[in-house]
């Protein structure tokens, strides 16, 4: 496969290169792509240096697949140009997620919707990905009525500028601010801009994307998304109300046998998932599995995943793997 990584010099782009190498994706030719100002820089892949090229050069090279992590406006402009050249684009921005003509895919949940005609495929929001991986098998067994989710999201979700802000604050150094407020020793209950209904764009992404990925508009979702001063990954407190009652042992058994999920749930020995455990892992970790004793047919879960890997790069590579395995590219 001739593979382009668009945004190769960024935080997610660099993880995409790492994941492609780790998973031994069959890259016959790597095309690292970035903005004109980054063209000519070098990135490393499997011990070899590759020169970063411009968008126009990459399109002319007609890659088989292009993994995009370069922001929404770049995706809106460049993804159709790659697609017109015959390239299958897997886009990590929010640009195409809610487009009714584009598929929004988490391979463990809904890869079966993909066809050879899908030339622009959307990678969901990081916090949505880790949640729906857990929701899907439970929805199939008990049918979900409502989900209430509060997130605790890593600064890496914002990018290098936010990581630098947090580290500068820890060292007492003044510098460029990614957020309107200090993040170290603080919690910011805002991710992305506010919309007219009082929810942030991040919260609305979780609400709308969950319904689309699960293929069920009847699932009611409400979200509060929060930025916290951690690096390893995103955490979520998730309350799920089912249509029917459930058996806790069966819930655990369902999750334990699901590919891509690791259950860490042993309160007696203080075992539960934390961002530091998920860091640089591809799985979604679940713990604190317990009944909601205030509501019938309701369950509480704690879900953790590395937002740069399963929440972004790994999910995109898994989509490419599925397309290849099913001869769709």
């Amino acid at each position: 496969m001739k593979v382009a990584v668009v945004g190769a010099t960024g935080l997610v782009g660099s993880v995409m290169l790492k994941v492609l190498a780790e998973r031994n994706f069959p890259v016959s030719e790597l095309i690292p792509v970035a903005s004109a100002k980054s063209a000519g820089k070098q990135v490393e892949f499997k011990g070899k240096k590759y020169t970063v090229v411009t968008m126009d050069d990459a399109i002319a090279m007609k890659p088989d697949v292009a993994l995009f992590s370069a922001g929404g406006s770049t995706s809106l402009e460049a993804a159709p140009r790659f697609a017109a050249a015959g390239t299958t684009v897997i886009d990590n921005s929010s640009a195409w997620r809610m487009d009714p003509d584009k598929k929004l895919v988490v391979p463990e949940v809904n890869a079966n919707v993909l066809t050879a005609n899908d030339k622009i495929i959307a990678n969901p929001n990081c916090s949505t990905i880790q949640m729906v991986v857990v929701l899907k098998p439970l929805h199939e067994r008990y049918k979900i009525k409502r989900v209430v989710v509060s997130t605790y999201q890593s600064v890496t979700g914002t990018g290098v500028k936010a990581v630098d802000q947090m580290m500068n604050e820890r060292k007492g150094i003044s510098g460029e601010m990614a957020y309107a407020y200090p993040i170290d020793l603080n919690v910011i209950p805002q991710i992305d801009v506010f919309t007219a209904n009082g929810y942030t764009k991040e919260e609305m992404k979780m609400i709308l994307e969950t319904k689309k990925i699960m293929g069920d508009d009847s699932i009611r979702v409400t979200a509060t998304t929060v930025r916290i001063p951690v690096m390893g990954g995103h955490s979520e407190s998730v309350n799920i109300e089912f249509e029917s009652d459930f058996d806790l042992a069966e819930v655990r058994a369902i999750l334990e046998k699901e590919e891509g999920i690791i259950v860490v749930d042993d309160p007696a020995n203080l075992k539960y998932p934390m961002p530091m455990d998920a860091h640089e892992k591809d799985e979604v970790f679940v713990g604190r599995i317990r009944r909601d004793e205030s509501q019938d047919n309701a369950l509480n879960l704690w879900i953790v995943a590395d937002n740069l890997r399963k929440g972004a790069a790994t999910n995109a590579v898994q989509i490419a793997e599925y397309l290849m395995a099913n001869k769709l590219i």
Side-chain angles (χ1 to χ4, degrees):
M1 288 278 158
K2 193 189 283 194
V3 179
V5 176
V6 180
T9 57
L11 206 52
V12 173
S14 62
V15 179
M16 283 175 169
L17 293 171
K18 192 174 176 184
V19 172
L20 285 166
E22 285 176 4
R23 296 175 74 90
N24 284 314
F25 191 84
V27 180
S28 57
E29 184 180 346
L30 179 72
I31 307 167
V33 190
S35 62
K37 69 174 191 233
S38 293
K41 285 185 180 177
Q42 292 203 310
V43 298
E44 191 170 311
F45 179 70
K46 288 192 167 182
K48 191 177 164 190
K49 301 280 190 189
Y50 291 82
T51 302
V52 174
V53 302
T54 64
M55 203 76 74
D56 289 343
D57 288 341
I59 292 166
M61 294 164 81
K62 294 185 185 291
D64 297 298
V65 63
L67 305 179
F68 265 59
S69 186
S73 57
T74 300
S75 294
L76 285 171
E77 188 274 324
R81 294 171 59 208
F82 273 95
T87 301
T88 299
V89 173
I90 302 168
D91 179 45
N92 197 55
S93 80
S94 60
W96 304 99
R97 290 177 189 158
M98 297 314 298
D99 185 320
D101 297 324
K102 304 293 185 289
K103 308 290 172 57
L104 182 64
V105 176
V106 178
E108 297 93 329
V109 178
N110 67 334
N112 60 305
V113 301
L114 291 168
T115 71
N117 295 325
D118 294 312
K119 286 310 198 186
I120 299 176
I121 300 161
N123 210 36
N125 184 44
C126 45
S127 44
T128 307
I129 289 173
Q130 66 188 69
M131 184 171 76
V132 296
V133 166
V134 175
L135 294 185
K136 177 67 171 178
L138 298 178
H139 184 54
E140 286 177 346
R141 175 65 181 88
Y142 303 114
K143 188 154 175 57
I144 294 170
K145 281 175 67 177
R146 183 171 185 252
V147 176
V148 181
V149 54
S150 296
T151 71
Y152 306 73
Q153 293 182 222
S154 161
V155 292
T156 57
T158 307
V160 174
K161 188 175 167 184
V163 174
D164 290 344
Q165 177 184 330
M166 184 176 78
M167 290 310 189
N168 284 341
E169 287 167 1
R170 287 191 177 173
K171 295 169 187 168
I173 300 167
S174 60
E176 197 177 2
M177 301 274 284
Y179 305 117
Y181 300 99
I183 185 60
D184 192 37
L185 300 177
N186 195 24
V187 165
I188 302 174
Q190 176 195 351
I191 298 179
D192 213 324
V193 297
F194 284 98
T195 63
N197 64 0
Y199 286 75
T200 64
K201 277 180 76 175
E202 182 85 355
E203 289 157 357
M204 292 311 300
K205 285 174 191 174
M206 290 196 76
I207 292 164
L208 298 171
E209 289 177 22
T210 297
K211 293 170 185 277
K212 183 171 179 177
I213 299 161
M214 298 282 285
D216 192 339
D217 284 338
S218 74
I219 299 172
R220 292 176 291 158
V221 183
T222 189
T224 302
T225 58
V226 181
R227 190 70 68 191
I228 64 169
V230 300
M231 295 272 284
H234 292 349
S235 305
E236 298 172 346
S237 171
V238 183
N239 178 273
I240 309 165
E241 183 186 349
F242 299 108
E243 282 198 349
S244 57
D245 197 11
F246 58 89
D247 178 77
L248 261 184
E250 185 181 45
V251 166
R252 285 196 183 89
I254 287 168
L255 296 175
E256 280 169 350
K257 73 175 175 44
E258 200 66 24
E259 190 179 343
I261 293 175
I262 295 177
V263 175
V264 183
D265 188 41
D266 183 7
N269 291 298
L270 310 185
K271 300 289 186 186
Y272 33 71
M274 294 178 288
M276 62 174 60
D277 305 317
H279 185 49
E280 297 199 339
K281 307 272 196 340
D282 290 328
E283 295 82 10
V284 175
F285 296 79
V286 188
R288 300 298 318 279
I289 303 168
R290 64 207 188 278
R291 280 188 179 273
D292 174 356
E293 297 187 349
S294 73
Q295 176 70 26
D296 290 342
N297 308 333
L299 177 75
N300 286 309
L301 300 169
W302 178 252
I303 302 172
V304 180
D306 186 319
N307 55 294
L308 297 181
R309 289 184 70 101
K310 183 54 185 169
T314 301
N315 198 75
V317 173
Q318 286 175 318
I319 292 171
E321 289 172 342
Y322 178 90
L323 293 170
M324 195 180 64
N326 290 275
K327 298 182 169 52
L328 301 176
I329 50 172

